[in-house]
Amino acid sequence: MTARAADRARYDRATASLDAPLAIVDLDAFDANADDLLRRAGGKPIRVASKSLRCRALLERVLGKEGFAGVMSFTLAESLWLARSGFEDVLLAYPTADRAGFAELTADPKLAAAVTVMVDDPAQLELIDAAREGGREVVRVCLELDTSLKLLGGRLRVGALRSPLHSPAQVAELARAVARRPGFKVVGIMGYEGHVAGVGDAVAGRPLRSRAVRLMQSAARRELAERRAETVRAVRAVVPDLEFVNGGGTGSVQHTAAEDAVTEIAAGSGLYVPRLFDNYTSFSGRPAALFAQPVVRRPGVGVVTVLGGGYPASGAAGADRLPVPYLPEGLRYDPQEGPGEVQTPLLGYPADDLLIGDKVWFRHAKAGELCERFDTLHLIEGDTVTAAVPTYRGEGRTFL
């Protein structure tokens, strides 16, 4: 029996009394992935990206492990909710125009002490001040550095379109603008190198592309390490008591941790290990988050149909954004239909051994987005469901 077949047997035994569709997290794999992230971080603390988990119980579990510290959130409403729930260090990773949220933040000392907001434009400071409604609390600010690699004099750009602050001088100038403005304090710098951390460099069947990605990432890491260190020096000249410099992501943990200027690493997807993280030379993890769909039809030889399953991930549309049939091994989509809104035909020899009501296990392309489809995660240890915990959706929280 292969390791994957053994996992399927465990999952089927653990959920035998539960009807699909359902979602699980294998805690043995989750904890092993957490340990691997810590190993790669080399002693630097890891801030957990909440968008990759979207489950308070699992955020609490991983933050209970030594070496993990703080949350990286994705909306202000989520940040305030987490802070009210007892999370004491929440870094909002994206700028926001949530005026009602800023009114809450600036009126509550506990929230203002726990939440740090992201800024990359003076206009965002204007918006916050206009939203205060009398709130006088000092707003903790993190400045985002654009990490993209610019080549050919800037005519070629590699990396996400995020912050407009690319040079150390630009970041330092915004730090000075914040320092001059009452009611704000710069406490950190963030830079997410998604073109390194979020792009696989060992894509099956595409050796030339994989080599090109590795060359690009090697150049990007060298350029960014130098520019980030210079940025930190420039900002510290304005803000000597800077608290943190955040960088990285699951795919670049060990590389980012090696930079002296970086004080903490961001990671989250590496805990669940969705399918987009299968194509890396720098690490391999264990799939921990899966979902099951029930077989409801047997249209013919070598074909079964499961209920639902059309859960594409965000990003540029393509086959890599689709979930994949994972267990039993050997199933594939019908190319004329793909994963459907209410039913999904699956082809392959294992289909003939599946009965009506059997479970087919899938892996989502990305991590936390799976939790927008399910209100409960069944936590499995060995071959037993030991708990059922709500996702954000299960707690009535749909932030985006």
Side-chain angles (χ1 to χ4, degrees):
M1 180 182 291
T2 66
R4 278 173 63 172
D7 283 340
R8 181 194 174 200
R10 286 197 301 115
Y11 301 152
D12 283 346
R13 285 195 300 271
T15 62
S17 63
L18 301 173
D19 288 335
L22 59 84
I24 65 166
V25 171
D26 182 337
L27 291 180
D28 297 328
F30 182 90
D31 290 341
N33 293 334
D35 291 342
D36 186 62
L37 288 170
L38 291 172
R39 176 189 62 79
R40 292 198 287 137
K44 289 190 176 177
I46 297 175
R47 185 181 291 273
V48 184
S50 63
K51 76 178 182 67
S52 299
L53 298 188
R54 302 192 201 200
C55 172
R56 280 199 299 170
L58 290 175
L59 282 172
E60 290 166 354
R61 182 183 184 90
V62 72
L63 288 170
K65 297 177 180 290
E66 186 175 352
F68 289 90
V71 174
M72 177 176 281
S73 59
F74 59 98
T75 74
L76 182 54
E78 178 211 14
S79 305
L80 301 177
W81 177 62
L82 290 175
R84 287 199 172 96
S85 301
F87 293 85
E88 297 179 348
D89 180 5
V90 183
L91 169 62
L92 175 55
Y94 308 89
T96 180
D98 182 353
R99 292 176 173 82
F102 283 130
E104 291 182 52
L105 178 70
T106 57
D108 189 318
K110 177 184 175 183
L111 296 179
V115 176
T116 301
V117 304
M118 193 62 59
V119 168
D120 59 29
D121 188 315
Q124 294 153 356
L125 304 176
E126 295 282 355
L127 187 147
I128 295 171
D129 269 341
R132 283 181 180 269
E133 295 184 358
R136 297 177 178 272
E137 296 300 323
V138 172
V139 176
R140 292 168 54 85
V141 168
C142 179
L143 308 178
E144 181 167 358
L145 169 69
D146 169 38
T147 64
S148 64
L149 175 64
K150 294 186 177 182
L151 304 170
L152 303 177
R155 294 190 297 276
L156 176 62
R157 174 195 179 106
V158 181
L161 290 165
R162 291 177 62 111
S163 171
L165 308 176
H166 187 79
S167 71
Q170 288 174 313
V171 183
E173 178 54 36
L174 184 55
R176 281 189 286 271
V178 176
R180 290 193 297 263
R181 195 178 191 104
F184 295 89
K185 180 183 180 182
V186 174
V187 298
I189 300 171
M190 188 194 93
Y192 172 58
E193 53 268 40
H195 51 302
V196 178
V199 178
D201 63 349
V203 182
R206 303 190 67 179
L208 294 180
R209 181 183 186 281
S210 298
R211 177 168 173 75
V213 169
R214 288 194 291 274
L215 290 172
M216 175 276 292
Q217 290 179 339
S218 178
R221 287 196 300 267
R222 290 194 300 271
E223 186 276 336
L224 178 58
E226 181 177 337
R227 181 160 52 89
R228 181 151 42 198
E230 187 178 345
T231 299
V232 172
R233 288 193 294 270
V235 172
R236 286 194 185 279
V238 180
V239 187
D241 57 344
L242 197 68
E243 295 177 17
F244 64 86
V245 177
N246 181 283
T250 287
S252 69
V253 170
Q254 64 271 40
H255 302 298
T256 308
E259 295 184 34
D260 291 338
V262 173
T263 65
E264 63 176 42
I265 311 299
S269 295
L271 295 165
Y272 283 172
V273 186
R275 64 167 294 206
L276 283 179
F277 285 86
D278 288 347
N279 304 317
Y280 286 79
T281 58
S282 60
F283 79 103
S284 61
R286 292 173 55 184
L290 299 94
F291 67 94
Q293 304 294 108
V295 174
V296 293
R297 285 178 168 167
R298 293 171 52 85
V301 175
V303 186
V304 293
T305 301
V306 299
L307 184 70
Y311 305 157
S314 60
D320 65 340
R321 300 291 146 167
L322 300 179
V324 290
Y326 183 61
L327 302 170
E329 298 179 66
L331 293 173
R332 65 186 186 279
Y333 294 125
D334 178 343
Q336 300 303 313
E337 296 195 43
E341 179 186 7
V342 290
Q343 69 169 34
T344 297
L346 297 171
L347 313 179
Y349 68 89
D352 294 329
D353 295 324
L354 290 169
L355 304 176
I356 300 296
D358 283 352
K359 296 179 177 77
V360 175
W361 296 90
F362 293 77
R363 293 173 66 201
H364 203 269
K366 297 181 77 172
E369 291 181 22
L370 170 65
C371 295
E372 299 299 336
R373 299 286 182 167
F374 293 91
D375 59 12
T376 301
L377 295 175
H378 298 278
L379 307 184
I380 291 179
E381 296 183 75
D383 60 0
T384 304
V385 172
T386 57
V389 298
T391 61
Y392 280 11
R393 172 178 170 168
E395 296 198 67
R397 306 287 177 164
T398 51
F399 295 110
L400 281 179

